[in-house]
Amino acid sequence: MVKKIKKNSSYSYNDRNIKPSSSDTPKKLEESQPDLTGKDAAYTRRFLAYMFDLATYLPIAYLFQYTTRVLRAVGGAENERNAIYMTVSIIIYALLLFGYLPNRWKGQTLGKKVLKIRVVPTNGVKIDFAKYLIREFLVKITIGWLCMPVVGIYAIYQVFIAKETKPILLHDKLMSTRVVAAEK
């Protein structure tokens, strides 16, 4: 028989107490999370931050990709192993740049930090590593050639047809985030 114990949201099953795991409950924001009610960032700053992030990621990724192709063209077991290391290095670099740093810097990639803007949640739940990685890398970099035109068309629709004064971009709406000017 399962009984719910009201004090700490744990459950009792055959006289054993089972506490909910941390993944069952979303993490609420810390009180120290800055800029939750800050002024929305200008679209030019957001675009320049995106270009800065591209400029920091793509040259290194292309260099690693080129080196991988050269190593595989030369052939040999050692070169194949080194090519795999280069591919893994590209993935680790992307995880660091678009997942770890925004998570550590409270919503700022390198480009956002330089231009003093940050990503904040709109639903009061802390943005986790996976959401930063999806928003910053998957949507903007990997499939950005497809997503960014759709986001642009959606923004034009919001401004000119729906007559919204402060439109929320599509990827921000899907991720329950918004970009604000950083205070510090």
Side-chain angles (χ1 to χ4, degrees), residues 43-99:
Y43 291 112
T44 54
R45 283 183 137 191
R46 292 178 68 167
F47 181 73
L48 290 173
Y50 173 64
M51 287 295 130
F52 188 90
D53 288 339
L54 279 179
T56 56
Y57 176 73
L58 289 181
I60 293 172
Y62 285 142
L63 176 69
F64 282 23
Q65 184 182 17
Y66 175 75
T67 306
T68 300
R69 259 193 257 136
V70 168
L71 287 171
R72 286 199 169 132
V74 171
E78 184 175 338
N79 286 337
E80 183 62 31
R81 185 180 66 240
N82 290 338
I84 291 171
Y85 291 154
M86 294 300 278
T87 304
V88 169
S89 297
I90 294 171
I91 294 168
I92 290 172
Y93 183 60
L95 290 172
L96 174 73
L97 199 59
F98 300 110

Side-chain angles (χ1 to χ4, degrees), residues 4-31:
K4 183 165 182 165
I5 301 171
K6 291 190 179 191
K7 276 185 182 176
N8 59 4
S9 300
S10 62
Y11 291 89
S12 174
Y13 180 74
N14 290 340
D15 297 328
R16 291 186 317 223
N17 287 339
I18 303 169
K19 293 184 179 180
S21 67
S22 61
S23 63
D24 294 342
T25 57
K27 294 179 183 175
K28 289 292 179 189
L29 284 173
E30 306 151 6
E31 295 300 322

